[in-house]
Amino acid sequence: MLDINLLRRDLDAVVAQLQRRKNPQPFLDVARFQALEAERKQIQTATEQQQARRNALSRQIGQAKAKGEDASALLAEVGGLGDAQKAGAARLEQIQAELQSMLMSIPNLPHASVPDGADETANVEVRRWGSPRAFDFPPRDHVDLGAGLGLDFETGALLSGSRFTFMRGPAARLHRALAQFMLDLHTREHGYTECHTPYIVNREILEGTGQLPKFRQDMFWVYRGSDGSGEEAAPEQYLISTSEISLTNSVRERILEPGQLPMRLTAHSPCFRSEAGSAGRDTRGMIRQHQFDKVEMVQVTSAEASYEALEQMAGHAEAVLQRLELPYRVVALSTGDMGFGSAKTYDLEVWLPGQGAYREISSVSNCEAFQARRMQARARNAAGKVELVHTLNGSGVAVGRALVAVIENHQQADGSVRVPAALRPYLGGLEVLQP
């Protein structure tokens, strides 16, 4: 969430920054915001004047009573002022609620270094690692290869519908090995603390990281409401779409001490996404699923350290792909392709021979103070001043897409898959997955 004082001080600059995001519709109704602000100021000024008048009248009433004079007219005026103040307070509460609702719908402002553009075509490639493999046989995609390794899309669809996958045998073992490898790498070499978080969270938790209210249609909602028994309704709850939500909110409404920053957290969790805004995309295989696993990285830093942390986190995700011997590229997302809460984002795109294309496998973002302001997550600096922290998140990486990339990049002509050296300890020393 943006600082409302920023809008009050320099509304034109905020609007100009929001226009960099190239949205067809304005994110902010400027006329409505200005009207609400004008009314807010008018009510606050009137309330101050009314209170000053009430104070003066109270003194006059005391003096009149001391002299034995009739104070009924003064008392009536005080009563009228009280009613006016109550009405003003009620209207002010309505205005503040509408302003808050407006703020919750405004995305973060893009960092100055973010390339301008309307969509992914304006993304800028930063670097590449590795070269796509030259096969001496026609490479197959993971759907064709996976059938022999235990990827069962038919059973997944039977159990849960489209975009769910059932895994057995070699595929299930590989999936588990990948998650364990990533957690060990991030905790042992990158300094993250491993966490295990709830998979169901309350509405305000999703508001804290920015999934609500804007992206409610992309979440799985689990709250069922009152059962008619007269019992109090349960809180509105959702399945997490990423453990970023629970990891980042672990510092909500807290004041961290200087020695606690930077905070680095990682977790392996399932992620649940209805993908309401992605209908018809990537329906084949495991690229876009309603349920998938991910190893997430979150950092909580001071404002001064957050962009250094962003580069560091991109490197941590890259280390996963390098150890798995997977060619990839890093791209800086344009203003029109960035997420709602991000000020700057790097995507890591892994090469998939089955598609003949680079596809996203990790997204690393600096949200600056956008989430922290929603969560009221703060830290005390060395001088003792309490300031909002900066929060960053990144996939380290998506387990299902890593499985797809390993199968496709390390496939062999007979349908077997060579196991990258980094994964062999997690598979009992196995060097090849056989169909």
Side-chain angles (χ1 to χ4, degrees), residues 268-306:
H268 167 221
S269 78
C271 306
F272 305 91
R273 299 184 186 181
S274 70
E275 299 284 5
S278 311
R281 292 182 59 193
D282 295 316
T283 56
R284 177 177 167 83
M286 292 183 65
I287 298 299
R288 194 176 296 274
Q289 298 270 279
H290 290 312
Q291 176 187 316
F292 61 95
D293 282 39
K294 183 152 62 84
V295 172
E296 184 73 7
M297 305 177 294
V298 161
Q299 286 204 33
V300 182
T301 75
S302 65
E304 297 77 18
S306 67

Side-chain angles (χ1 to χ4, degrees), residues 191-256:
Y192 290 80
T193 298
E194 183 175 348
C195 304
H196 181 80
T197 82
Y199 302 155
I200 297 174
V201 295
N202 297 333
R203 173 189 49 78
E204 61 269 22
I205 301 304
L206 289 163
E207 290 175 342
T209 40
Q211 283 78 17
L212 293 184
K214 185 173 178 61
F215 301 106
R216 187 176 186 273
Q217 74 279 8
D218 288 325
M219 306 297 298
F220 280 108
W221 193 34
V222 299
Y223 164 55
R224 293 179 297 175
S226 173
D227 60 5
S229 65
E231 295 289 328
E232 184 177 349
E236 186 179 323
Q237 293 185 313
Y238 299 78
L239 290 168
I240 60 170
S241 56
T242 165
S243 60
E244 168 212 338
I245 294 164
S246 35
L247 291 173
T248 305
N249 273 281
S250 67
V251 297
R252 72 180 289 114
E253 298 172 8
R254 290 175 59 189
I255 298 177
L256 304 173

Side-chain angles (χ1 to χ4, degrees), residues 366-377:
N366 186 356
C367 297
E368 297 186 354
F370 188 83
Q371 294 176 326
R373 187 169 288 107
R374 289 169 170 243
M375 298 184 301
Q376 280 303 291

Side-chain angles (χ1 to χ4, degrees), residues 121-147:
T121 61
N123 295 346
V124 175
E125 184 173 316
V126 178
R127 57 186 171 270
R128 290 191 182 203
W129 186 90
S131 300
R133 174 182 165 193
F135 290 87
D136 56 8
F137 60 90
R140 294 188 281 168
D141 72 5
H142 71 283
V143 178
D144 292 336
L145 283 165

Side-chain angles (χ1 to χ4, degrees), residues 2-19:
L2 300 182
D3 184 354
I4 194 169
N5 291 317
L6 181 61
L7 278 72
R8 289 168 177 165
R9 287 195 306 268
D10 199 346
L11 183 58
D12 289 343
V14 172
V15 170
Q17 284 290 83
L18 290 173
Q19 287 173 341

Side-chain angles (χ1 to χ4, degrees), residues 165-176:
T165 303
F166 191 96
M167 298 184 214
R168 56 170 62 85
R173 288 189 68 193
L174 177 59
H175 191 271
R176 172 168 55 86

